[in-house]
Amino acid sequence: MPKNGKISNSVIRRLPRYYRFLGELQEEGITKISSGELSQRMKLTASQIRQDLNCFGGFGQQGYGYNVSELREEIGTIIGTNKRLSAILVGAGNLGKAVALHLNFENCGCKLVGVFDSNPDLFDAPLGDMKILSTSLLESFFKTNKPQIAILCIPKESAKELCDKLLSIGIHSFWNFSHYDLNPEYEDDDIIVENVHLGDSLLTLTYRTNNK
Ligand code: NAI
């Protein structure tokens, strides 16, 4: 757990990458790795890795390196993958269905507990092992299931109104695919927003390809 108080955003953003890389090492049957090898694989400097992990107390041993499964478990604990946060998804269109069906929620410390849409044609339609529910049921669903996270796969125009509704019923963490920029309007100590724009990543690739 944090050694020196608050952890910087850039360190927090690197943790999932450590977690994923260490999982891949485990799959390859690698049980220990030096900071040098880890840094080569991750394209980070060894000192960056040491600094990052030192924020949580440091894990390696001089001359031994890192025990892969122990380090992955520690990083998982720091992220909270063992806590199983409940998530709902709103907007069961093309994107919402793909996210609901193809993302490994368990690996990310979450469990998808409900999928909602405002289109009556979709109500009660099966999606994986769930049924799509009407957004009119959000409030009662919240009272029973207390989801902590909402995944927003709705059009931009619907995002603000929906977010206000979700906040009013008690959901404060948003994984926002809607292209409506909820930051900084929403982000404060209680409200957490992760905006996702796949297009930004493609634009970055486009720039880098055009400028190599
Ligand atoms: P879609 O039209 O297939 O699905 C949208 C769904 O949201 C529909 O089922 C609709 O009934 C529902 N919906 C609309 N307003 C709602 C509300 N207030 N409450 C509950 N449900 C509501 O669209 P698609 O392709 O799934 O995309 C969804 C959104 O995600 C689009 O706005 C698109 O621009 C965006 N998008 C974002 C990406 C990203 O990287 N952030 C990538 C791809 C799409």
Side-chain angles (χ1 to χ4, degrees), residues 12-50:
I12 293 167
R13 293 205 173 274
R14 281 194 289 274
L15 287 179
R17 202 161 159 248
Y18 285 118
Y19 191 67
R20 178 164 50 80
F21 263 79
L22 290 160
E24 285 168 11
L25 291 174
Q26 272 183 314
E27 278 166 21
E28 289 172 37
I30 296 170
T31 54
K32 68 168 191 160
I33 189 161
S34 67
S35 55
E37 275 175 278
L38 188 59
S39 75
Q40 266 180 7
R41 280 191 177 237
M42 294 192 63
K43 309 271 188 284
L44 288 170
T45 65
S47 98
Q48 174 81 80
I49 292 176
R50 273 193 297 274

mmCIF file of all heavy atoms in Angstrom, residues 12-50:
data_model
loop_
_atom_site.group_PDB
_atom_site.id
_atom_site.type_symbol
_atom_site.label_atom_id
_atom_site.label_comp_id
_atom_site.label_asym_id
_atom_site.label_seq_id
_atom_site.Cartn_x
_atom_site.Cartn_y
_atom_site.Cartn_z
ATOM 1 N N ILE A 12 -0.180 5.434 -11.178
ATOM 2 C CA ILE A 12 -1.422 4.653 -11.184
ATOM 3 C C ILE A 12 -1.713 4.144 -12.596
ATOM 4 O O ILE A 12 -2.102 2.994 -12.795
ATOM 5 C CB ILE A 12 -2.609 5.505 -10.663
ATOM 6 C CG1 ILE A 12 -2.397 5.815 -9.184
ATOM 7 C CG2 ILE A 12 -3.940 4.788 -10.868
ATOM 8 C CD1 ILE A 12 -3.313 6.880 -8.624
ATOM 9 N N ARG A 13 -1.456 4.993 -13.595
ATOM 10 C CA ARG A 13 -1.744 4.599 -14.979
ATOM 11 C C ARG A 13 -0.791 3.522 -15.488
ATOM 12 O O ARG A 13 -1.094 2.828 -16.447
ATOM 13 C CB ARG A 13 -1.709 5.815 -15.909
ATOM 14 C CG ARG A 13 -2.835 6.746 -15.598
ATOM 15 C CD ARG A 13 -3.277 7.620 -16.720
ATOM 16 N NE ARG A 13 -4.461 8.337 -16.300
ATOM 17 C CZ ARG A 13 -5.686 7.870 -16.403
ATOM 18 N NH1 ARG A 13 -5.894 6.697 -16.950
ATOM 19 N NH2 ARG A 13 -6.713 8.558 -15.972
ATOM 20 N N ARG A 14 0.377 3.392 -14.861
ATOM 21 C CA ARG A 14 1.297 2.324 -15.288
ATOM 22 C C ARG A 14 0.978 0.985 -14.607
ATOM 23 O O ARG A 14 1.395 -0.060 -15.094
ATOM 24 C CB ARG A 14 2.758 2.726 -15.004
ATOM 25 C CG ARG A 14 3.326 3.685 -16.059
ATOM 26 C CD ARG A 14 4.829 3.797 -15.971
ATOM 27 N NE ARG A 14 5.278 4.516 -14.800
ATOM 28 C CZ ARG A 14 5.409 5.839 -14.732
ATOM 29 N NH1 ARG A 14 5.129 6.586 -15.779
ATOM 30 N NH2 ARG A 14 5.832 6.416 -13.633
ATOM 31 N N LEU A 15 0.258 1.018 -13.483
ATOM 32 C CA LEU A 15 0.016 -0.235 -12.750
ATOM 33 C C LEU A 15 -0.680 -1.316 -13.591
ATOM 34 O O LEU A 15 -0.257 -2.474 -13.568
ATOM 35 C CB LEU A 15 -0.795 0.035 -11.475
ATOM 36 C CG LEU A 15 -0.043 0.726 -10.334
ATOM 37 C CD1 LEU A 15 -0.987 0.948 -9.154
ATOM 38 C CD2 LEU A 15 1.173 -0.069 -9.893
ATOM 39 N N PRO A 16 -1.747 -0.951 -14.357
ATOM 40 C CA PRO A 16 -2.382 -2.003 -15.158
ATOM 41 C C PRO A 16 -1.421 -2.645 -16.146
ATOM 42 O O PRO A 16 -1.516 -3.833 -16.441
ATOM 43 C CB PRO A 16 -3.495 -1.246 -15.910
ATOM 44 C CG PRO A 16 -3.784 -0.073 -15.061
ATOM 45 C CD PRO A 16 -2.474 0.321 -14.449
ATOM 46 N N ARG A 17 -0.472 -1.832 -16.640
ATOM 47 C CA ARG A 17 0.488 -2.375 -17.612
ATOM 48 C C ARG A 17 1.424 -3.358 -16.925
ATOM 49 O O ARG A 17 1.739 -4.425 -17.459
ATOM 50 C CB ARG A 17 1.268 -1.199 -18.232
ATOM 51 C CG ARG A 17 1.840 -1.558 -19.536
ATOM 52 C CD ARG A 17 2.196 -0.354 -20.379
ATOM 53 N NE ARG A 17 3.166 -0.825 -21.340
ATOM 54 C CZ ARG A 17 4.424 -0.467 -21.360
ATOM 55 N NH1 ARG A 17 4.895 0.404 -20.476
ATOM 56 N NH2 ARG A 17 5.244 -0.970 -22.257
ATOM 57 N N TYR A 18 1.897 -3.027 -15.729
ATOM 58 C CA TYR A 18 2.717 -3.988 -14.962
ATOM 59 C C TYR A 18 1.926 -5.269 -14.755
ATOM 60 O O TYR A 18 2.430 -6.369 -14.933
ATOM 61 C CB TYR A 18 3.077 -3.424 -13.581
ATOM 62 C CG TYR A 18 4.144 -2.347 -13.566
ATOM 63 C CD1 TYR A 18 3.871 -1.074 -13.113
ATOM 64 C CD2 TYR A 18 5.441 -2.627 -13.978
ATOM 65 C CE1 TYR A 18 4.846 -0.085 -13.087
ATOM 66 C CE2 TYR A 18 6.423 -1.646 -13.959
ATOM 67 C CZ TYR A 18 6.119 -0.376 -13.506
ATOM 68 O OH TYR A 18 7.078 0.586 -13.486
ATOM 69 N N TYR A 19 0.677 -5.095 -14.362
ATOM 70 C CA TYR A 19 -0.176 -6.245 -14.028
ATOM 71 C C TYR A 19 -0.327 -7.159 -15.255
ATOM 72 O O TYR A 19 -0.212 -8.372 -15.167
ATOM 73 C CB TYR A 19 -1.541 -5.709 -13.567
ATOM 74 C CG TYR A 19 -2.432 -6.743 -12.943
ATOM 75 C CD1 TYR A 19 -2.101 -7.333 -11.730
ATOM 76 C CD2 TYR A 19 -3.623 -7.114 -13.554
ATOM 77 C CE1 TYR A 19 -2.937 -8.279 -11.154
ATOM 78 C CE2 TYR A 19 -4.456 -8.053 -12.977
ATOM 79 C CZ TYR A 19 -4.105 -8.628 -11.779
ATOM 80 O OH TYR A 19 -4.924 -9.562 -11.200
ATOM 81 N N ARG A 20 -0.564 -6.529 -16.409
ATOM 82 C CA ARG A 20 -0.756 -7.302 -17.647
ATOM 83 C C ARG A 20 0.542 -8.004 -18.063
ATOM 84 O O ARG A 20 0.553 -9.192 -18.373
ATOM 85 C CB ARG A 20 -1.245 -6.354 -18.754
ATOM 86 C CG ARG A 20 -1.430 -7.011 -20.096
ATOM 87 C CD ARG A 20 -2.278 -6.127 -21.018
ATOM 88 N NE ARG A 20 -1.831 -4.753 -21.091
ATOM 89 C CZ ARG A 20 -0.820 -4.326 -21.840
ATOM 90 N NH1 ARG A 20 -0.142 -5.179 -22.580
ATOM 91 N NH2 ARG A 20 -0.482 -3.045 -21.861
ATOM 92 N N PHE A 21 1.662 -7.262 -18.021
ATOM 93 C CA PHE A 21 2.941 -7.851 -18.415
ATOM 94 C C PHE A 21 3.304 -9.029 -17.521
ATOM 95 O O PHE A 21 3.751 -10.068 -17.994
ATOM 96 C CB PHE A 21 4.063 -6.803 -18.324
ATOM 97 C CG PHE A 21 4.359 -6.155 -19.646
ATOM 98 C CD1 PHE A 21 3.539 -5.151 -20.133
ATOM 99 C CD2 PHE A 21 5.432 -6.555 -20.417
ATOM 100 C CE1 PHE A 21 3.784 -4.555 -21.355
ATOM 101 C CE2 PHE A 21 5.689 -5.965 -21.647
ATOM 102 C CZ PHE A 21 4.862 -4.956 -22.108
ATOM 103 N N LEU A 22 3.096 -8.847 -16.216
ATOM 104 C CA LEU A 22 3.444 -9.923 -15.279
ATOM 105 C C LEU A 22 2.551 -11.137 -15.513
ATOM 106 O O LEU A 22 3.013 -12.278 -15.411
ATOM 107 C CB LEU A 22 3.334 -9.420 -13.834
ATOM 108 C CG LEU A 22 4.430 -8.402 -13.466
ATOM 109 C CD1 LEU A 22 4.032 -7.578 -12.241
ATOM 110 C CD2 LEU A 22 5.776 -9.096 -13.220
ATOM 111 N N GLY A 23 1.291 -10.901 -15.889
ATOM 112 C CA GLY A 23 0.386 -12.008 -16.218
ATOM 113 C C GLY A 23 0.904 -12.770 -17.435
ATOM 114 O O GLY A 23 0.859 -14.005 -17.477
ATOM 115 N N GLU A 24 1.415 -12.015 -18.421
ATOM 116 C CA GLU A 24 1.954 -12.668 -19.621
ATOM 117 C C GLU A 24 3.198 -13.488 -19.276
ATOM 118 O O GLU A 24 3.396 -14.587 -19.788
ATOM 119 C CB GLU A 24 2.283 -11.613 -20.689
ATOM 120 C CG GLU A 24 1.027 -11.073 -21.359
ATOM 121 C CD GLU A 24 1.262 -9.840 -22.211
ATOM 122 O OE1 GLU A 24 2.441 -9.496 -22.464
ATOM 123 O OE2 GLU A 24 0.283 -9.206 -22.597
ATOM 124 N N LEU A 25 4.023 -12.950 -18.377
ATOM 125 C CA LEU A 25 5.223 -13.699 -17.947
ATOM 126 C C LEU A 25 4.807 -14.999 -17.268
ATOM 127 O O LEU A 25 5.384 -16.056 -17.519
ATOM 128 C CB LEU A 25 6.064 -12.852 -16.980
ATOM 129 C CG LEU A 25 6.767 -11.627 -17.572
ATOM 130 C CD1 LEU A 25 7.441 -10.818 -16.468
ATOM 131 C CD2 LEU A 25 7.802 -12.035 -18.618
ATOM 132 N N GLN A 26 3.777 -14.897 -16.423
ATOM 133 C CA GLN A 26 3.279 -16.104 -15.742
ATOM 134 C C GLN A 26 2.824 -17.144 -16.765
ATOM 135 O O GLN A 26 3.138 -18.323 -16.637
ATOM 136 C CB GLN A 26 2.093 -15.749 -14.847
ATOM 137 C CG GLN A 26 2.495 -15.331 -13.454
ATOM 138 C CD GLN A 26 1.271 -15.061 -12.601
ATOM 139 O OE1 GLN A 26 0.339 -14.395 -13.040
ATOM 140 N NE2 GLN A 26 1.274 -15.569 -11.398
ATOM 141 N N GLU A 27 2.102 -16.664 -17.796
ATOM 142 C CA GLU A 27 1.627 -17.593 -18.834
ATOM 143 C C GLU A 27 2.788 -18.253 -19.566
ATOM 144 O O GLU A 27 2.698 -19.379 -20.026
ATOM 145 C CB GLU A 27 0.740 -16.856 -19.843
ATOM 146 C CG GLU A 27 -0.682 -16.719 -19.346
ATOM 147 C CD GLU A 27 -1.492 -15.724 -20.155
ATOM 148 O OE1 GLU A 27 -1.117 -15.438 -21.305
ATOM 149 O OE2 GLU A 27 -2.494 -15.231 -19.613
ATOM 150 N N GLU A 28 3.915 -17.520 -19.672
ATOM 151 C CA GLU A 28 5.106 -18.095 -20.326
ATOM 152 C C GLU A 28 5.893 -18.997 -19.378
ATOM 153 O O GLU A 28 6.932 -19.525 -19.742
ATOM 154 C CB GLU A 28 6.036 -16.966 -20.803
ATOM 155 C CG GLU A 28 5.511 -16.187 -21.986
ATOM 156 C CD GLU A 28 6.374 -14.959 -22.284
ATOM 157 O OE1 GLU A 28 7.616 -15.028 -22.137
ATOM 158 O OE2 GLU A 28 5.798 -13.918 -22.633
ATOM 159 N N GLY A 29 5.442 -19.108 -18.143
ATOM 160 C CA GLY A 29 6.113 -19.968 -17.166
ATOM 161 C C GLY A 29 7.342 -19.324 -16.529
ATOM 162 O O GLY A 29 8.166 -20.010 -15.924
ATOM 163 N N ILE A 30 7.476 -18.006 -16.660
ATOM 164 C CA ILE A 30 8.628 -17.309 -16.067
ATOM 165 C C ILE A 30 8.292 -16.987 -14.605
ATOM 166 O O ILE A 30 7.264 -16.360 -14.327
ATOM 167 C CB ILE A 30 8.952 -16.028 -16.865
ATOM 168 C CG1 ILE A 30 9.388 -16.429 -18.282
ATOM 169 C CG2 ILE A 30 10.021 -15.179 -16.176
ATOM 170 C CD1 ILE A 30 9.517 -15.299 -19.259
ATOM 171 N N THR A 31 9.148 -17.435 -13.695
ATOM 172 C CA THR A 31 8.819 -17.271 -12.278
ATOM 173 C C THR A 31 9.551 -16.098 -11.636
ATOM 174 O O THR A 31 9.100 -15.551 -10.644
ATOM 175 C CB THR A 31 9.160 -18.552 -11.483
ATOM 176 O OG1 THR A 31 10.528 -18.882 -11.743
ATOM 177 C CG2 THR A 31 8.253 -19.703 -11.879
ATOM 178 N N LYS A 32 10.743 -15.738 -12.187
ATOM 179 C CA LYS A 32 11.415 -14.541 -11.652
ATOM 180 C C LYS A 32 12.023 -13.753 -12.789
ATOM 181 O O LYS A 32 12.307 -14.295 -13.860
ATOM 182 C CB LYS A 32 12.450 -14.920 -10.602
ATOM 183 C CG LYS A 32 13.636 -15.665 -11.130
ATOM 184 C CD LYS A 32 14.727 -15.723 -10.085
ATOM 185 C CE LYS A 32 15.991 -16.243 -10.723
ATOM 186 N NZ LYS A 32 17.192 -15.944 -10.028
ATOM 187 N N ILE A 33 12.170 -12.448 -12.543
ATOM 188 C CA ILE A 33 12.692 -11.581 -13.602
ATOM 189 C C ILE A 33 13.494 -10.451 -12.962
ATOM 190 O O ILE A 33 13.111 -9.920 -11.913
ATOM 191 C CB ILE A 33 11.530 -11.041 -14.488
ATOM 192 C CG1 ILE A 33 12.090 -10.325 -15.723
ATOM 193 C CG2 ILE A 33 10.586 -10.135 -13.717
ATOM 194 C CD1 ILE A 33 11.095 -10.158 -16.854
ATOM 195 N N SER A 34 14.606 -10.105 -13.601
ATOM 196 C CA SER A 34 15.407 -9.001 -13.069
ATOM 197 C C SER A 34 14.747 -7.684 -13.482
ATOM 198 O O SER A 34 13.977 -7.641 -14.448
ATOM 199 C CB SER A 34 16.828 -9.060 -13.645
ATOM 200 O OG SER A 34 16.781 -8.789 -15.023
ATOM 201 N N SER A 35 15.101 -6.607 -12.769
ATOM 202 C CA SER A 35 14.490 -5.321 -13.143
ATOM 203 C C SER A 35 14.954 -4.925 -14.547
ATOM 204 O O SER A 35 14.213 -4.297 -15.297
ATOM 205 C CB SER A 35 14.796 -4.233 -12.118
ATOM 206 O OG SER A 35 16.164 -4.113 -11.933
ATOM 207 N N GLY A 36 16.202 -5.342 -14.913
ATOM 208 C CA GLY A 36 16.721 -5.041 -16.253
ATOM 209 C C GLY A 36 15.881 -5.705 -17.343
ATOM 210 O O GLY A 36 15.474 -5.055 -18.308
ATOM 211 N N GLU A 37 15.585 -7.013 -17.146
ATOM 212 C CA GLU A 37 14.779 -7.737 -18.148
ATOM 213 C C GLU A 37 13.359 -7.162 -18.221
ATOM 214 O O GLU A 37 12.806 -6.985 -19.306
ATOM 215 C CB GLU A 37 14.659 -9.213 -17.748
ATOM 216 C CG GLU A 37 15.810 -10.097 -18.177
ATOM 217 C CD GLU A 37 15.601 -11.490 -17.594
ATOM 218 O OE1 GLU A 37 15.947 -11.664 -16.398
ATOM 219 O OE2 GLU A 37 15.067 -12.350 -18.284
ATOM 220 N N LEU A 38 12.811 -6.878 -17.038
ATOM 221 C CA LEU A 38 11.453 -6.338 -17.008
ATOM 222 C C LEU A 38 11.414 -4.985 -17.729
ATOM 223 O O LEU A 38 10.506 -4.695 -18.501
ATOM 224 C CB LEU A 38 10.977 -6.185 -15.556
ATOM 225 C CG LEU A 38 9.513 -5.813 -15.345
ATOM 226 C CD1 LEU A 38 8.581 -6.841 -15.973
ATOM 227 C CD2 LEU A 38 9.181 -5.681 -13.853
ATOM 228 N N SER A 39 12.465 -4.195 -17.514
ATOM 229 C CA SER A 39 12.488 -2.868 -18.135
ATOM 230 C C SER A 39 12.613 -2.993 -19.651
ATOM 231 O O SER A 39 11.983 -2.244 -20.391
ATOM 232 C CB SER A 39 13.602 -2.001 -17.551
ATOM 233 O OG SER A 39 14.845 -2.400 -18.052
ATOM 234 N N GLN A 40 13.404 -3.985 -20.115
ATOM 235 C CA GLN A 40 13.517 -4.176 -21.567
ATOM 236 C C GLN A 40 12.185 -4.555 -22.180
ATOM 237 O O GLN A 40 11.770 -4.016 -23.198
ATOM 238 C CB GLN A 40 14.514 -5.297 -21.853
ATOM 239 C CG GLN A 40 15.908 -4.766 -22.099
ATOM 240 C CD GLN A 40 16.881 -5.892 -22.370
ATOM 241 O OE1 GLN A 40 16.487 -7.058 -22.497
ATOM 242 N NE2 GLN A 40 18.138 -5.556 -22.452
ATOM 243 N N ARG A 41 11.492 -5.470 -21.520
ATOM 244 C CA ARG A 41 10.197 -5.919 -22.047
ATOM 245 C C ARG A 41 9.170 -4.795 -22.053
ATOM 246 O O ARG A 41 8.360 -4.683 -22.948
ATOM 247 C CB ARG A 41 9.643 -7.054 -21.177
ATOM 248 C CG ARG A 41 10.274 -8.386 -21.502
ATOM 249 C CD ARG A 41 9.462 -9.438 -20.794
ATOM 250 N NE ARG A 41 9.965 -10.747 -21.122
ATOM 251 C CZ ARG A 41 9.217 -11.713 -21.661
ATOM 252 N NH1 ARG A 41 7.957 -11.526 -21.903
ATOM 253 N NH2 ARG A 41 9.735 -12.885 -21.928
ATOM 254 N N MET A 42 9.206 -3.987 -20.978
ATOM 255 C CA MET A 42 8.170 -2.971 -20.842
ATOM 256 C C MET A 42 8.544 -1.636 -21.440
ATOM 257 O O MET A 42 7.732 -0.702 -21.448
ATOM 258 C CB MET A 42 7.826 -2.777 -19.356
ATOM 259 C CG MET A 42 7.186 -3.995 -18.748
ATOM 260 S SD MET A 42 6.470 -3.654 -17.145
ATOM 261 C CE MET A 42 5.211 -2.458 -17.533
ATOM 262 N N LYS A 43 9.783 -1.561 -21.948
ATOM 263 C CA LYS A 43 10.280 -0.293 -22.527
ATOM 264 C C LYS A 43 10.188 0.858 -21.516
ATOM 265 O O LYS A 43 9.760 1.965 -21.830
ATOM 266 C CB LYS A 43 9.516 0.088 -23.807
ATOM 267 C CG LYS A 43 9.435 -1.013 -24.844
ATOM 268 C CD LYS A 43 10.618 -0.971 -25.773
ATOM 269 C CE LYS A 43 10.502 -1.933 -26.942
ATOM 270 N NZ LYS A 43 10.752 -3.335 -26.633
ATOM 271 N N LEU A 44 10.540 0.505 -20.274
ATOM 272 C CA LEU A 44 10.673 1.520 -19.219
ATOM 273 C C LEU A 44 12.084 1.361 -18.669
ATOM 274 O O LEU A 44 12.659 0.274 -18.774
ATOM 275 C CB LEU A 44 9.690 1.250 -18.071
ATOM 276 C CG LEU A 44 8.209 1.504 -18.309
ATOM 277 C CD1 LEU A 44 7.404 0.938 -17.132
ATOM 278 C CD2 LEU A 44 7.949 2.980 -18.445
ATOM 279 N N THR A 45 12.645 2.387 -18.051
ATOM 280 C CA THR A 45 13.976 2.189 -17.475
ATOM 281 C C THR A 45 13.839 1.403 -16.166
ATOM 282 O O THR A 45 12.791 1.451 -15.503
ATOM 283 C CB THR A 45 14.674 3.531 -17.180
ATOM 284 O OG1 THR A 45 13.919 4.197 -16.173
ATOM 285 C CG2 THR A 45 14.772 4.408 -18.418
ATOM 286 N N ALA A 46 14.939 0.693 -15.822
ATOM 287 C CA ALA A 46 14.914 -0.085 -14.574
ATOM 288 C C ALA A 46 14.667 0.853 -13.394
ATOM 289 O O ALA A 46 13.983 0.502 -12.430
ATOM 290 C CB ALA A 46 16.222 -0.851 -14.419
ATOM 291 N N SER A 47 15.227 2.073 -13.492
ATOM 292 C CA SER A 47 15.064 2.975 -12.348
ATOM 293 C C SER A 47 13.614 3.459 -12.243
ATOM 294 O O SER A 47 13.091 3.655 -11.152
ATOM 295 C CB SER A 47 16.073 4.122 -12.419
ATOM 296 O OG SER A 47 15.525 5.266 -12.950
ATOM 297 N N GLN A 48 12.962 3.621 -13.406
ATOM 298 C CA GLN A 48 11.537 3.997 -13.391
ATOM 299 C C GLN A 48 10.712 2.908 -12.684
ATOM 300 O O GLN A 48 9.853 3.196 -11.846
ATOM 301 C CB GLN A 48 11.048 4.143 -14.837
ATOM 302 C CG GLN A 48 9.571 4.393 -14.977
ATOM 303 C CD GLN A 48 9.210 5.833 -14.749
ATOM 304 O OE1 GLN A 48 9.366 6.637 -15.631
ATOM 305 N NE2 GLN A 48 8.751 6.144 -13.568
ATOM 306 N N ILE A 49 11.024 1.652 -13.022
ATOM 307 C CA ILE A 49 10.281 0.541 -12.409
ATOM 308 C C ILE A 49 10.521 0.530 -10.900
ATOM 309 O O ILE A 49 9.583 0.421 -10.110
ATOM 310 C CB ILE A 49 10.701 -0.804 -13.051
ATOM 311 C CG1 ILE A 49 10.207 -0.844 -14.498
ATOM 312 C CG2 ILE A 49 10.161 -1.993 -12.264
ATOM 313 C CD1 ILE A 49 10.632 -2.064 -15.286
ATOM 314 N N ARG A 50 11.797 0.693 -10.508
ATOM 315 C CA ARG A 50 12.103 0.699 -9.061
ATOM 316 C C ARG A 50 11.367 1.837 -8.368
ATOM 317 O O ARG A 50 10.770 1.665 -7.317
ATOM 318 C CB ARG A 50 13.616 0.808 -8.838
ATOM 319 C CG ARG A 50 14.308 -0.551 -8.838
ATOM 320 C CD ARG A 50 15.726 -0.435 -8.304
ATOM 321 N NE ARG A 50 16.557 0.413 -9.135
ATOM 322 C CZ ARG A 50 17.237 -0.014 -10.212
ATOM 323 N NH1 ARG A 50 17.182 -1.296 -10.562
ATOM 324 N NH2 ARG A 50 17.960 0.807 -10.932
#
